[in-house]
Amino acid sequence: MNIIMLLTNAFDLDVRVYKEAVYLVKKGHHVTILCWDRDAKTTLPQKEKRDGIQVIRFRIPSILGTGYRQIGAYLKYVCACRKYLSRHKADYIHCHDLDGMMAYRLTGMRKIPYVFDMHELYNRGNRMRRTVSRKIVEKGIKNSYCSIAVLPVQSLNVSESLAEKIVLLKNYPDSSYIRYSEKIQSSVLRIGYHGAVRRQIPYFEALFEACKGLEDVRIDINGGGIDLPALKEMEKHYDNVYVHGKYDGIAETNRLYQNTDLLFCGYNPDDQQYRQKDLEAVKFYEAIVTGTPMIMTEGISMGDKVKKFGFGFVVNPNDSKAIRDIVLKVRDNRQLLKECADRMLDKADDYKWETAVQVLDQIYG
């Protein structure tokens, strides 16, 4: 079966897309990903074969996170997809995220059935924006062959008839690239953040201030995103902060967690999205399967679970003094980390990608 995926990023960091595509290839399907590479200075090849996946990148410069200013570049991506689809056979179009689904609809190639893969909740912004997003999502689900939810709440927020078209695929870690490994020993307490950096500057600043002057504590920030330039500037003012930028989510994730004693998870405590029941970030899962205790935002769904199961510590991410108290407590008693890690590893089997991904067989057979 020929499956063509639409992806509005360059496929250099999107681990979920990679995991789904690899699974489908192993099941005997032919998978092609049409990517939008926005980086004007990109060194990624326009075409490559990666683990059996055909990757095609359309180089259309744009700045990620600039909203409606990207509309011209986005429409160029749509046109590039339309041109490719008109010349190549596809049995299904697998649309990643809301903008991927909209891109396919805008191509006008309506005869090929599509799968709407919803990577997140689409309820940010003011009331009008949330209303528009909800209607687009509902339309996307209605017209899809099948839709994929990453959270149970995505099925609960729509009508019963739409919910019947949705299957659940949580973004659990794949043990082929991330699993429990003994931590590499260090006399320094290593606090890490591994993932996209966006809309989190106040919480990183609170963390940096909390650890300022602590020579036996270091902070490593790994990941790309719209906050990266600001973080690189902030790094200059702290002796124990290291901002590394993008990393390979498949090849490097396990190594990063081996060198992380405590994972920082600072999310906006006022964002209602994070208060949704069962809303869980990929970092939450990665921390559990690697036995890496968390500093998690209190009052949100993930914070409630960290507190309930003893997976780490909860805190107001704006409160640098409270963060410092936790850091000093852990630094002076490393046994606390081991106790948290043991509890996490006892639950690790509940978060297996290898089991969850089999839901794709219901869609593609």
Side-chain angles (χ1 to χ4, degrees), residues 108-153:
M109 311 287 287
R110 305 294 175 87
K111 292 183 179 181
I112 310 171
Y114 73 89
V115 173
F116 179 17
D117 197 339
M118 300 179 285
H119 290 199
E120 59 181 297
L121 293 174
Y122 307 107
N123 59 353
R124 279 198 169 95
N126 57 38
R127 179 180 294 183
M128 179 178 291
R129 182 175 179 180
R130 293 197 303 271
T131 299
V132 171
S133 294
R134 185 181 70 250
K135 290 185 179 300
I136 294 173
V137 167
E138 290 175 349
K139 189 77 169 177
I141 297 170
K142 180 180 178 181
N143 291 316
S144 71
Y145 169 73
C146 183
S147 292
I148 300 172
V150 71
L151 300 166
V153 71

Side-chain angles (χ1 to χ4, degrees), residues 271-285:
D271 189 334
Q272 291 303 310
Q273 174 170 270
Y274 292 117
R275 296 180 182 273
Q276 295 271 6
K277 183 180 179 181
D278 291 327
L279 190 147
E280 296 159 345
V282 177
K283 284 185 288 298
F284 177 79
Y285 302 140

Side-chain angles (χ1 to χ4, degrees), residues 314-327:
V314 295
V315 70
N316 180 339
N318 291 295
D319 189 340
S320 60
K321 182 182 182 304
I323 296 172
R324 188 180 181 91
D325 289 344
I326 291 172
V327 171

